Amino acid sequence: MLWSLFIAILLSFSFRIVQKVIGLIYKQHLRFSVYYWGIMVIIASLLLKNTYVYSFPKNLSTVLPLFLIILIVNCLISRSSGYSPAGRFDRFNFVIIYPVLEEIAFRGLALPVLTRHHSLGQIHHTPVIELSFAVVITAALFAVSHLQYYKLNSQSIRFMIFAFAGGLFFGLIAQVTESIALTVPLHIAFNGSAAFYAYLIAKKQPNST
């Protein structure tokens, strides 16, 4: 189990590791760190066995109502998330690249690595929800991992709270379906609506162009 935890933690902070390496080797490409990270994550998804990355979702009829509820709630609460990516490059990465890569890393790779261990099994079970310690640990790592992108302050704590909540619900769906096919669009929807709200607020500012 310790080895699985190590892999999950390594995946959680792999972006920062890649960013540090790029900064040492080729600083001019530092702003493209997310793409180098993406290459690493995709390679890991091909090397690790029994992942949720490329599998077709199971139990779709069971989780579809939960998926729709989370989708609607996502779009509503994202207004209060505080995320405000600036510029087309950052918006594109925030809305598309980060959600896809984070779902691969956390729900696609880290979660199934942890769920292999019975000691990290069910906390609560219903016909829809199958909450496990693996889901909670993955959500916690997902929340803390946001410190790779932001300094620790009141705003980043808010980001971490949203990330933990999202990590729990995305993890529930990924565990039941054994796939990230539904969590990727959920993550994109949250980030996309957050970026849209931030854009509308910026447009209303007196000095906006």
Side-chain angles (χ1 to χ4, degrees):
M1 187 179 71
L2 290 177
W3 179 245
S4 296
L5 284 171
F6 173 75
I7 293 175
I9 292 170
L10 186 63
L11 285 166
S12 300
F13 295 96
S14 55
F15 171 79
R16 188 61 171 170
I17 295 170
V18 170
Q19 191 179 51
K20 284 290 186 181
V21 172
I22 297 299
L24 292 172
I25 297 174
Y26 202 10
K27 287 187 178 180
Q28 291 88 338
H29 279 205
L30 199 57
R31 73 191 298 255
F32 301 109
S33 296
V34 63
Y35 298 105
Y36 289 102
W37 177 52
I39 294 170
M40 190 219 74
V41 169
I42 291 171
I43 291 173
S45 72
L46 296 172
L47 294 177
L48 291 173
K49 297 179 180 179
N50 302 318
T51 71
Y52 295 167
V53 179
Y54 304 109
S55 56
F56 188 81
K58 303 176 181 178
N59 306 311
L60 274 175
S61 60
T62 302
V63 299
L64 190 58
L66 181 62
F67 170 83
L68 294 174
I69 291 170
I70 295 174
L71 181 63
I72 295 169
V73 172
N74 262 355
C75 295
L76 294 175
I77 67 173
S78 60
R79 180 190 294 268
S80 306
S81 68
Y83 288 111
S84 56
R88 292 181 180 178
F89 181 77
D90 287 340
R91 287 195 192 104
F92 175 74
N93 288 337
F94 180 77
V95 174
I96 303 296
I97 303 300
Y98 281 107
V100 171
L101 296 182
E102 286 177 347
E103 288 308 307
I104 292 174
F106 288 92
R107 263 64 65 179
L109 301 178
L111 181 58
V113 163
L114 294 175
T115 53
R116 296 172 190 169
H117 299 277
H118 296 296
S119 57
L120 299 177
Q122 292 179 3
I123 299 174
H124 181 71
H125 176 72
T126 70
V128 179
I129 296 174
E130 189 175 332
L131 182 62
S132 68
F133 285 107
V135 169
V136 174
I137 291 171
T138 308
L141 288 173
F142 181 54
V144 175
S145 75
H146 280 64
L147 293 177
Q148 297 177 107
Y149 318 128
Y150 309 99
K151 294 181 179 180
L152 181 61
N153 52 37
S154 59
Q155 187 177 44
S156 64
I157 290 173
R158 181 198 294 183
F159 295 160
M160 290 166 66
I161 292 171
F162 273 92
F164 181 73
L168 283 178
F169 288 107
F170 295 170
L172 289 172
I173 289 178
Q175 188 171 45
V176 173
T177 61
E178 297 183 11
S179 171
I180 60 170
L182 296 183
T183 64
V184 168
L186 284 175
H187 201 151
I188 290 175
F190 178 85
N191 282 27
S193 54
F196 177 69
Y197 288 132
Y199 176 76
L200 291 181
I201 292 171
K203 290 288 286 184
K204 293 179 181 178
Q205 298 299 321
N207 296 327
S208 63
T209 55

